[in-house]
Amino acid sequence: MFSLRKLGAFGRTYRHLQRYNRILQVLLKYGFSDLIHRLHIDEYLESGWQRLKGSQPEEPLARISRPERLRLAFQELGPTFIKLGQLLSSRPDLLPPAYLEELSRLQDKIPPVAWEEIDAVFRREFGAPAEDIFPGFEHEAMAAASIGQVHRARLEGGQEVVIKVRRPGISQLISVDLEIFGHIASLMEQYLEEVRGHSPSAVVEEFAASLHRELDFSIELTNIQRFALNFQDNRTIHVPVVYPEFCSSRVLVMAYIAGFKPSDIPRLQ
């Protein structure tokens, strides 16, 4: 473990210090000690840095390209980094083509949260267990991503629905990561002349605003309702019915619709 000193306002809490340690360890593991050195983060580290500052990526990581190692590092560091990588993959003004291509492969499919944690969300939001509100609530998630996971269930009237639930603790993790991103962005502007014109701090601010909107499922609910209203007379577009009475900033409920991915060409044809 590294020991960090004077990292600004966010560095005064243990959760930031612990997370920053983790980020640096992963970057070192994937061979980015040169970047850490250029950003002068070593000035905030105790003597343990001296032993690792020249470290090379672990085998077999040394045999793969730097863009791929960046993708793997982001993937290992979790939701906030995966989302950042996805954003950066659409910014040819910031990164070379090899990085854009590699980061575009980032997927935010991760193991689902245990049922007990999901049920606790419903107890906090609605004051009752999930199965008291939704008969036939399936404990096993249909899908799990970085922000939330989806379960199938039924309403009292028998309608089949899908329920998107925000991951417990994800908001706190993202808040810590965003503060760390802000610190790193300020170091980039101070020490990396080649990126100053792109204003890394502004990129982080834009990313933070987007991510905070994504965390609030009530915004997604409003967007679905607005979209349905705008296309209510268009028979070629079907918008799932939403159930606002069962929704909150952490829970989104809509009608279940069977379908397939547009990339499934045989079924599409």
Side-chain angles (χ1 to χ4, degrees), residues 104-115:
S104 69
R105 297 174 57 196
L106 276 170
Q107 300 293 321
D108 56 0
K109 294 180 179 179
I110 54 181
V113 172
W115 163 251

Side-chain angles (χ1 to χ4, degrees), residues 33-231:
S33 59
D34 59 327
L35 177 60
I36 295 173
H37 181 62
R38 289 191 66 198
L39 292 176
H40 293 249
I41 296 178
D42 51 323
E43 294 178 7
Y44 302 98
L45 298 166
E46 300 293 353
S47 58
W49 166 256
Q50 300 301 323
R51 183 172 55 85
L52 292 170
K53 64 185 296 184
S55 63
Q56 298 300 312
E58 298 178 0
E59 292 287 351
L61 295 175
R63 296 195 294 270
I64 63 178
S65 69
R66 190 174 175 91
E68 186 173 357
R69 283 189 275 118
L70 181 64
R71 174 179 64 81
L72 292 172
F74 276 22
Q75 206 161 281
E76 186 167 329
L77 286 168
T80 323
F81 282 81
I82 290 171
K83 293 293 184 184
L84 177 63
Q86 291 170 342
L87 169 68
L88 293 175
S89 72
S90 64
R91 296 291 303 268
D93 56 320
L94 298 179
L95 293 174
Y99 285 87
L100 300 177
E101 181 179 356
E102 197 61 48
L103 291 178
S104 69
R105 297 174 57 196
L106 276 170
Q107 300 293 321
D108 56 0
K109 294 180 179 179
I110 54 181
V113 172
W115 163 251
E116 291 75 17
E117 294 184 60
I118 293 298
D119 192 41
V121 173
F122 288 90
R123 293 174 186 269
R124 286 195 299 269
E125 294 293 298
F126 305 108
E131 291 171 317
D132 286 359
I133 307 169
F134 305 98
F137 199 114
E138 296 185 4
H139 290 200
E140 185 176 350
M142 288 180 64
S146 52
I147 300 296
Q149 63 189 55
V150 178
H151 293 257
R152 287 185 65 175
R154 291 192 311 276
L155 301 181
E156 288 286 354
Q159 303 96 322
E160 290 192 38
V161 296
V162 290
I163 304 174
K164 182 178 175 183
V165 186
R166 195 171 80 188
R167 283 178 172 269
I170 190 64
S171 180
Q172 293 89 334
L173 172 64
I174 286 176
S175 293
V176 169
D177 280 351
L178 288 174
E179 290 180 38
I180 292 174
F181 285 176
H183 180 251
I184 292 175
S186 68
L187 294 179
M188 292 175 72
E189 290 169 349
Q190 184 175 356
Y191 295 114
L192 304 185
E193 186 175 351
E194 65 269 27
V195 304
R196 285 175 191 161
H198 298 293
S199 186
S201 293
V203 174
V204 171
E205 289 175 9
E206 172 193 341
F207 175 59
S210 172
L211 207 47
H212 282 307
R213 287 193 298 270
E214 190 172 349
L215 283 168
D216 187 351
F217 290 177
S218 63
I219 295 176
E220 186 174 350
L221 169 66
T222 301
N223 289 339
I224 294 172
Q225 291 173 314
R226 183 181 295 118
F227 190 87
L229 183 63
N230 290 342
F231 291 93

